[in-house]
C-alpha cells in the first residue's frame, strides 16, 4: 500500500491559509454559485461545499487540514486513487516536454491503439477533451451516418450537457421530450424521445412507430447518474435488437462504466457491441479527456476524411493522454478488479446489514466498484421514477453525518459512490461502522 500520510497534515502551519468558508464566499463573488460545476455546490445536502488542498490514495485533505476518506473519486476518474505515482510521473514527464503542440504526438497514437486493442468493438477512436464532447460527437456522427435526426434516450441517464442531451420525458412517449434546462430550444428537445430506463416495451413502441427517423439509441449500459440503476436482464440486448430492426445506431455512453468493470468497456464485458462507444473519466486518469470510438465504417465519416465535422484545439493533449495511458497500463498490469469487487461488496453488504440491524429503510445498490446508499424501503430502483421516491432528506442527513466523521460521498442521493484501488478493508470497515452509527440517529 502507498503511504497515506499527507504532506500538509500539520494543521498548525495552515492557520494563515484561507478556509473553506472564506474561499467559498470569494468564489461566490466571481463564479456563478461559487462552483464550476453545479453538483459541487452541495445544494441537495446543505452545508458549505468542500474545498480541497490535496489528495493521496484514498484520502484527501481540506484547506483546513481535515483528512477525509474519499468515496467520490472526482466523480469517477480516480480508480487508482489520488496522486497515483505512475500517473503523476507520467503527467510531470509530459508537461516537462511541452504541454500542447496542436499536431500529433506519439502518446496519443499509443492511447488510441490501446483503446482499440482493449475494446474490440472500437476499431477507430477520436480523442476529445470531455465526456460531453464525446457524446456530442457521437450524436452528430450518428445523425451524419444515418441521415436521420431523432434520438432515443432514457430518463435519468446523463450524457453531458449538450443541448440534445438535456432533455427529459415530455407528455407522451411518441411526442418527444422537453428541455431540462433553460436555453435548450424546444425543437431540439422535440427531436429526442425519452423512455424510462429498463422499459423495453416503450423502446419497442418508439422503434416501431418512429424508427425510420431514429438516428441513435443512447444509453448508459449501467445507469450511474440517477444513483446506481442496474440494467434488467435482457434490456441491453433488447436495445441492440431494436436498433438493428430500425436501422438506428446504438451508442453506449461508457464515460463512467468504461474501465470500471474490467480493463475494457462494460459492453465488451457482457458481449454486446454498440455501434459507438463514448469514454471519458478513467481514460483520462484525472485529466480532461473524452473519446468516441466504433466501427471504421462509421468513424470514417468524421472530418477530415468524412463529412461530419469535429475538432478540438487541445484534443489528444499530451498531459491528459499521458495520465490516461499511465492509468490504463496500471489497470491492465495490476488488474485490481476482483479486489475492487470484493471491497465494494464488503461495503454494500456491511451497509445492508447495518440497515437491517438498526431497522432503517436503506438499501445499498452495488455493481463493480460503484454503489449508492438509497434511503428507501423497497429493493434498489429500476428507473428514475423509482429512484426519485428515495428519502432525500434522510440521505442529506446521512451525508452530513458521514462527512463529520471523515467520509466523503457524492453530495446527492442521485449519484454513485466510487471505491478505488487505493481503498483497503480498513477504509471500507470504517465507512460501514460510520454508516451504522449514523443510521441510529437518522429518521428514514
Ligand atoms: C460524466 C459523464 C458525462 C460527461 O462527461 P464530462 O467529462 O463531465 O463532460 C457523460 N456521460 C456520462 C455517462 C457521464 O457519467
Amino acid at each position: 500500500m502507498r503511504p497515506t500520510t499527507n504532506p500538509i497534515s500539520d494543521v498548525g502551519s495552515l492557520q494563515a491559509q484561507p478556509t473553506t468558508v472564506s474561499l467559498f464566499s470569494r468564489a461566490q463573488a466571481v463564479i456563478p454559485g461559487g462552483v464550476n460545476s453545479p453538483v459541487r455546490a452541495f445544494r441537495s445536502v446543505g452545508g458549505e461545499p468542500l474545498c480541497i488542498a490535496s489528495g493521496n490514495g484514498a484520502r484527501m485533505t481540506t484547506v483546513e487540514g481535515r483528512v477525509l476518506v474519499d468515496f467520490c473519486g472526482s466523480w469517477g476518474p480516480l480508480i487508482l486513487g489520488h496522486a497515483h505515482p505512475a500517473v503523476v510521473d507520467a503527467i510531470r514527464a509530459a508537461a516537462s516536454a511541452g504541454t500542447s503542440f496542436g499536431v500529433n504526438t506519439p502518446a496519443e497514437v499509443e492511447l488510441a491503439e490501446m483503446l482499440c486493442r482493449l475494446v474490440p468493438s472500437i476499431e477507430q477512436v477520436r480523442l476529445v477533451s470531455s465526456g460531453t464532447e464525446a457524446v456530442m460527437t457521437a450524436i452528430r456522427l450518428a445523425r451524419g451516418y444515418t441521415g436521420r435526426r431523432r434520438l432515443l434516450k432514457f430518463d435519468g441517464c446523463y450524457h453531458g450537457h449538450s443541448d440534445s442531451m438535456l432533455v427529459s420525458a415530455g407528455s407522451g412517449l411518441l411526442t418527444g421530450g422537453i428541455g431540462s434546462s433553460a436555453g435548450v430550444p424546444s425543437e431540439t428537445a422535440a427531436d429526442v424521445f425519452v423512455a424510462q430506463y429498463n422499459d423495453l416495451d416503450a423502446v419497442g413502441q418508439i422503434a416501431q412507430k418512429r424508427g425510420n427517423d431514429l438516428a441513435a439509441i443512447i444509453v448508459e449500459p449501467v445507469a450511474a447518474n440517477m444513483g446506481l440503476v442496474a440494467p434488467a436482464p435482457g434490456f441491453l440486448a433488447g436495445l441492440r435488437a431494436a436498433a438493428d430492426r430500425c436501422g438506428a445506431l446504438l451508442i453506449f455512453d461508457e464515460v463512467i462504466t468504461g474501465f470500471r468493470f474490467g480493463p475494457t468497456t462494460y459492453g465488451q464485458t457482457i458481449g454486446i457491441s454498440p455501434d459507438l462507444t463514448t469514454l471519458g473519466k478513467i481514460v483520462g486518469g484525472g485529466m480532461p479527456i473524452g473519446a468516441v470510438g466504433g466501427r471504421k465504417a462509421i468513424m470514417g465519416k468524421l472530418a477530415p476524411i468524412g463529412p461530419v465535422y469535429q475538432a478540438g484545439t487541445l484534443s489528444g493533449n499530451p498531459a491528459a493522454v499521458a495520465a490516461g495511458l499511465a492509468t490504463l497500463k496500471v489497470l491492465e498490469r495490476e488488474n485490481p478488479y476482483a479486489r475492487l469487487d470484493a471491497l465494494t461488496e464488503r461495503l454494500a453488504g456491511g451497509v445492508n446489514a447495518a440497515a437491517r440491524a438498526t431497522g432503517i429503510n436503506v438499501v445499498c445498490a452495488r455493481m463493480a466498484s460503484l454503489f449508492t446508499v438509497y434511503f428507501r424501503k423497497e429493493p434498489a430502483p429500476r428507473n428514475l421514477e423509482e429512484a426519485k421516491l428515495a428519502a432525500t432528506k434522510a440521505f442529506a442527513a446521512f451525508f452530513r453525518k458521514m462527512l463529520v466523521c471523515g467520509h466523503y460521498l457524492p453530495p446527492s442521493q442521485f449519484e454513485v459512490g466510487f471505491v478505488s484501488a487505493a481503498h483497503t478493508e480498513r477504509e471500507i470497515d470504517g465507512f460501514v461502522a460510520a454508516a451504522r452509527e449514523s443510521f441510529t440517529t437518522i429518521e428514514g
Side-chain angles (χ1 to χ4, degrees):
M1 205 188 92
R2 287 182 285 125
T4 52
T5 49
N6 197 288
I8 59 153
S9 60
D10 176 10
V11 178
S13 69
L14 279 168
Q15 260 149 22
Q17 296 279 341
T19 65
T20 294
V21 173
S22 73
L23 274 162
F24 189 53
S25 118
R26 272 169 57 198
Q28 281 174 302
V30 288
I31 301 172
V35 290
N36 281 317
S37 196
V39 76
R40 295 179 194 172
F42 280 33
R43 285 286 172 107
S44 66
V45 290
E48 299 289 334
L50 284 190
C51 197
I52 295 298
S54 68
N56 189 309
R59 291 179 166 69
M60 48 190 198
T61 306
T62 70
V63 289
E64 288 89 357
R66 273 198 71 210
V67 176
L68 302 171
V69 184
D70 183 13
F71 288 89
C72 183
S74 187
W75 302 92
L78 301 184
I79 192 167
L80 299 179
H82 292 276
H84 188 285
V87 178
V88 173
D89 288 349
I91 295 170
R92 190 177 286 125
S96 306
T99 52
S100 184
F101 306 103
V103 295
N104 276 354
T105 59
E108 70 192 278
V109 182
E110 193 187 343
L111 179 57
E113 286 171 346
M114 191 165 187
L115 292 174
C116 292
R117 175 170 63 79
L118 293 173
V119 187
S121 71
I122 297 183
E123 293 174 357
Q124 290 197 323
V125 61
R126 175 146 298 169
L127 300 179
V128 295
S129 298
S130 71
T132 295
E133 248 188 285
V135 170
M136 202 177 74
T137 302
I139 287 169
R140 187 176 304 135
L141 197 45
R143 285 174 160 158
Y145 179 79
T146 60
R148 301 166 171 190
R149 62 189 276 183
R150 291 187 190 266
L151 307 166
L152 167 57
K153 80 179 286 287
F154 296 91
D155 223 7
C157 282
Y158 179 69
H159 302 293
H161 63 93
S162 64
D163 280 359
S164 52
M165 291 294 100
L166 289 183
V167 174
S168 43
S171 53
L173 193 56
L174 299 171
T175 55
I178 48 174
S180 56
S181 162
V184 172
S186 54
E187 297 82 358
T188 303
D191 277 342
V192 185
F193 300 113
V194 182
Q196 284 296 313
Y197 196 76
N198 281 326
D199 186 353
L200 268 186
D201 289 343
V203 172
Q205 272 188 59
I206 291 164
Q208 197 197 351
K209 300 236 169 67
R210 313 302 283 270
N212 57 1
D213 197 22
L214 203 59
I217 301 175
I218 182 165
V219 69
E220 289 181 72
V222 173
N225 283 287
M226 48 178 137
L228 180 65
V229 176
F235 176 59
L236 298 171
L239 296 185
R240 179 67 278 179
D244 288 342
R245 249 187 343 265
C246 64
L249 299 190
L250 180 63
I251 304 172
F252 277 0
D253 181 356
E254 299 230 22
V255 171
I256 279 189
T257 51
F259 298 89
R260 222 351 115 179
F261 286 74
T264 185
T265 55
Y266 183 71
Q268 211 63 49
T269 309
I270 59 164
I272 296 179
S273 293
D275 300 293
L276 291 172
T277 300
T278 52
L279 295 165
K281 297 193 172 126
I282 289 174
V283 299
M287 296 286 281
I289 219 168
V292 51
R295 291 203 312 276
K296 250 187 200 155
I298 303 169
M299 295 303 294
K301 297 291 176 195
L302 278 180
I305 48 175
V308 178
Y309 193 71
Q310 185 279 332
T313 302
L314 293 177
S315 291
N317 175 261
V321 160
L325 263 178
T327 300
L328 296 189
K329 283 178 183 170
V330 171
L331 290 174
E332 200 183 14
R333 191 175 63 237
E334 297 182 359
N335 206 329
Y337 293 99
R339 203 182 135 257
L340 280 168
D341 208 63
L343 277 179
T344 317
E345 180 54 32
R346 187 181 180 100
L347 182 150
V351 168
N352 284 327
R356 281 192 299 276
T358 55
I360 196 169
N361 290 328
V362 159
V363 56
C364 185
R366 175 194 83 89
M367 286 181 79
S369 45
L370 308 173
F371 69 93
T372 298
V373 180
Y374 283 108
F375 283 76
R376 57 186 264 129
K377 192 162 155 190
E378 301 76 18
R382 290 164 297 186
N383 57 38
L384 183 64
E385 268 172 16
E386 290 185 8
K388 271 184 176 165
L389 299 176
T392 51
K393 285 216 174 81
F395 176 85
F398 171 66
F399 171 87
R400 290 192 299 265
K401 292 263 180 213
M402 293 300 279
L403 191 57
V404 165
C405 58
H407 298 85
Y408 178 61
L409 279 162
S412 162
Q413 171 72 100
F414 306 111
E415 300 289 352
V416 293
F418 297 88
V419 174
S420 83
H423 288 75
T424 67
E425 292 185 353
R426 194 176 121 222
E427 281 86 28
I428 301 298
D429 293 349
F431 181 98
V432 171
R436 187 189 163 107
E437 172 70 26
S438 83
F439 289 164
T440 62
T441 67
I442 295 168
E443 305 239 344

